[in-house]
Amino acid sequence: MKFRLTGNNLAQRPASTYTYTMPHFDFEGVPVTLQQLLAKARETLMSEAQREEQRQSFAYGNSHFENETITRETVRRESEKLKAADGGQK
């Protein structure tokens, strides 16, 4: 990971003046840039099951942050209730 930030008042500088590179690594150990990862993500199609899992994960993260009594199971149960009330649409 390489960062180069210049100037004394970084908080007041526009983001375009920052230079940063954050490589990730694929399974062969070849560096992959964030731009390459984003391009690949745009081409990826999610199944309905994956989309539902992602939605529940998002709901859990935001709910648990505000209320620690919320569990993943709570979110799953409520999601099932909403699907049943909607007639299984979602």
Side-chain angles (χ1 to χ4, degrees), residues 17-81:
T17 62
Y18 303 148
T19 301
Y20 58 93
T21 304
M22 295 177 63
H24 296 273
F25 292 89
D26 65 14
F27 293 109
E28 288 100 36
V30 177
V32 178
T33 67
L34 181 57
Q35 290 297 329
Q36 290 169 318
L37 291 171
L38 290 171
K40 187 172 182 176
R42 285 186 191 103
E43 297 169 1
T44 303
L45 295 176
M46 293 173 62
S47 70
E48 279 303 314
Q50 289 171 322
R51 191 181 322 272
E52 179 64 18
E53 184 179 338
Q54 193 75 359
R55 190 181 69 75
Q56 287 181 20
S57 177
F58 179 80
Y60 168 74
N62 285 294
S63 301
H64 184 76
F65 177 75
E66 301 223 358
N67 181 349
E68 292 182 359
T69 63
I70 301 291
T71 65
R72 290 185 187 278
E73 180 60 23
T74 306
V75 171
R76 189 196 61 73
R77 267 194 324 267
E78 292 304 314
S79 176
E80 293 299 320
K81 286 181 191 177

